[in-house]
Amino acid sequence: MPTEKRSDRPYRDFGDFLQKIFPFKVQKISINAGFTCPNRDGTKGWGGCTYCNNQTFSPQYAANEKTVSQQLEEGIRFFSHKYPQMKYLAYFQAYTNTYDALENLLAKYYEALDYPDVVGLIIGTRPDCMPDKLLAELQKISAKHFVLIEYGIESTSNETLKSINRGHTYEEAAETIQRTHERRIFCGAHLILGLPGENRKMILSHADKISSLPLTSLKLHQLQLIKHTRMAAQLKESPELFHLYEIDEYIDLCIDFLERLNPDFYIERFVSQSPKDLLAVPGWGLKNYEFTAKLNKRISERGSFQGKTFNATQSQSRKS
Ligand code: SF4
């Protein structure tokens, strides 16, 4: 049975989730903690995902990074002028933030948590890179602090995951998310809409599949081709594998996706904008807030809302 609309809002916004948790405004501060990626050094795979920008993996890049505290200091300085009461979440964003010796990982997480006004962690990682020992430590941290682990699922099709050299399967992602949830740690997921070889029907089937996972939040983004990546070269060699969405078409795709999605999930974003100098295609030239305004207008025109066609029986394996 399709679900009833639950509120005036057409979808659950991640900001509302943070507002429920924190009695004050919180802002994420992105951190590059100098970790690398097991999909490039042979631990999980070689060469990395085909859409990943190789250039940022030079050793100098990591070596030049500032400490976690320095990055927090700079980030917080930027926001605290305008919002003195603001608190912060350290967002370990770059590369695989659970890929290092346990003591190194914990040292960096605690360095962030010890920084004044930091009230929690968001840790971005691959689903095949979450050992149980680390998860146990994160569970301890999450008993005292906000912790959300953000897993890159990218697609629920193993064929696609193989073709983009992702180095893990969808089943591995589902299993790790379940393990994380069982330790009462918030789980987020990241998905790319429009990977090569995926048609509209396949893309929408991702919404059905991930709806059964115990996720708190979801980030979607359009396929962006970054210059000098293997995928950018693939576009030239085999353009028939790609469908590069125009904005309005992508908006309707997002709304169809949203309608099929579990209404419990909080949506953090629908698009991402890579820096212009790195981006090969598509160059939509829209700021994120402009995209959101267009999306909301279209949702209203269509009378849509999150979970409109979601069938709760699809979600039997989801645990509260
Ligand atoms: S996209 Fe992420 S997982 Fe893939 S190669 Fe790049 S850093 Fe590694």
Side-chain angles (χ1 to χ4, degrees):
M1 284 279 292
T3 50
E4 296 292 319
K5 192 174 181 190
R6 291 185 183 174
S7 76
D8 293 342
R9 308 280 290 261
Y11 55 89
R12 285 186 122 186
D13 189 85
F14 188 65
D16 298 340
F17 167 65
L18 293 179
Q19 262 182 25
K20 270 191 182 177
I21 305 255
F22 298 106
F24 38 72
K25 270 192 181 303
V26 286
Q27 172 66 46
K28 292 198 294 185
I29 305 288
S30 287
I31 308 268
N32 179 346
F35 300 127
T36 58
C37 171
N39 196 25
R40 310 196 70 97
D41 65 8
T43 304
K44 299 287 180 186
W46 295 103
C49 309
T50 57
Y51 53 83
C52 186
N53 181 2
N54 301 1
Q55 288 172 320
T56 55
F57 278 88
S58 68
Q60 293 93 321
Y61 181 80
N64 287 341
E65 278 310 305
K66 296 169 181 161
T67 66
V68 168
S69 300
Q70 282 168 333
Q71 292 175 65
L72 286 168
E73 198 261 326
E74 285 174 14
I76 291 174
R77 194 180 337 125
F78 181 81
F79 289 104
S80 60
H81 287 307
K82 221 170 165 188
Y83 306 103
Q85 308 305 325
M86 184 95 92
K87 305 280 183 205
Y88 300 92
L89 298 172
Y91 179 25
F92 287 81
Q93 182 179 20
Y95 318 117
T96 306
N97 292 283
T98 56
Y99 182 53
D100 204 342
L102 184 64
E103 60 273 23
N104 294 347
L105 293 167
L106 293 177
K108 292 195 175 169
Y109 303 157
Y110 279 110
E111 182 181 346
L113 287 169
D114 287 343
Y115 199 87
D117 290 334
V118 170
V119 292
L121 304 175
I122 300 182
I123 299 172
T125 192
R126 294 168 53 86
D128 59 352
C129 205
M130 184 53 86
D132 249 336
K133 268 191 181 167
L134 175 59
L135 209 49
E137 293 297 330
L138 289 168
Q139 184 178 20
K140 284 184 209 159
I141 297 175
S142 74
K144 292 189 183 153
H145 304 274
F146 175 88
V147 178
L148 185 145
I149 314 292
E150 195 177 276
Y151 291 109
I153 298 179
E154 313 314 352
S155 171
T156 68
S157 157
N158 287 337
E159 202 182 322
T160 302
L161 292 171
K162 197 167 175 203
S163 78
I164 62 172
N165 197 38
R166 191 57 203 164
H168 63 76
T169 61
Y170 173 65
E171 288 72 24
E172 282 176 278
E175 186 272 332
T176 306
I177 287 167
Q178 186 61 41
R179 235 170 358 107
T180 306
H181 171 70
E182 281 165 8
R183 289 191 181 266
R184 302 279 156 203
I185 301 171
F186 293 124
C187 282
H190 182 267
L191 221 67
I192 302 173
L193 303 189
L195 284 167
E198 297 205 342
N199 59 25
R200 189 179 189 87
K201 192 172 167 210
M202 263 179 97
I203 294 170
L204 295 179
S205 75
H206 301 326
D208 301 334
K209 275 174 121 177
I210 64 164
S211 282
S212 67
L213 299 178
L215 290 173
T216 299
S217 62
L218 179 65
K219 279 180 175 174
L220 302 173
H221 80 70
Q222 79 281 23
L223 179 66
Q224 297 185 99
L225 295 185
I226 305 299
K227 287 177 190 163
H228 313 302
T229 57
R230 280 194 285 158
M231 197 179 278
Q234 191 186 21
L235 174 66
K236 285 190 186 148
E237 289 153 16
S238 312
E240 70 282 359
L241 290 177
F242 291 81
H243 180 87
L244 295 173
Y245 284 79
E246 296 297 333
I247 296 173
D248 289 337
E249 191 189 12
Y250 181 72
I251 284 176
D252 272 317
L253 179 74
C254 286
I255 297 172
D256 290 344
F257 196 97
L258 198 61
E259 287 187 346
R260 292 166 81 143
L261 196 65
N262 190 322
D264 289 344
F265 294 177
Y266 289 92
I267 315 293
E268 193 168 351
R269 68 173 195 216
F270 293 93
V271 280
S272 155
Q273 302 297 342
S274 293
K276 254 191 181 166
D277 55 328
L278 291 180
L279 188 65
V281 279
W284 286 346
L286 270 192
K287 303 242 184 283
N288 283 357
Y289 75 88
E290 293 170 325
F291 178 91
T292 307
K294 269 175 98 62
L295 175 86
N296 287 340
K297 183 167 175 274
R298 184 71 182 133
I299 286 176
S300 157
E301 282 166 10
R302 285 181 49 174
S304 282
F305 58 90
Q306 181 179 351
K308 188 175 180 184
T309 59
F310 168 73
N311 188 335
T313 55
Q314 293 163 343
S315 191
Q316 283 162 348
S317 63
R318 182 177 161 82
K319 296 183 182 160
S320 62

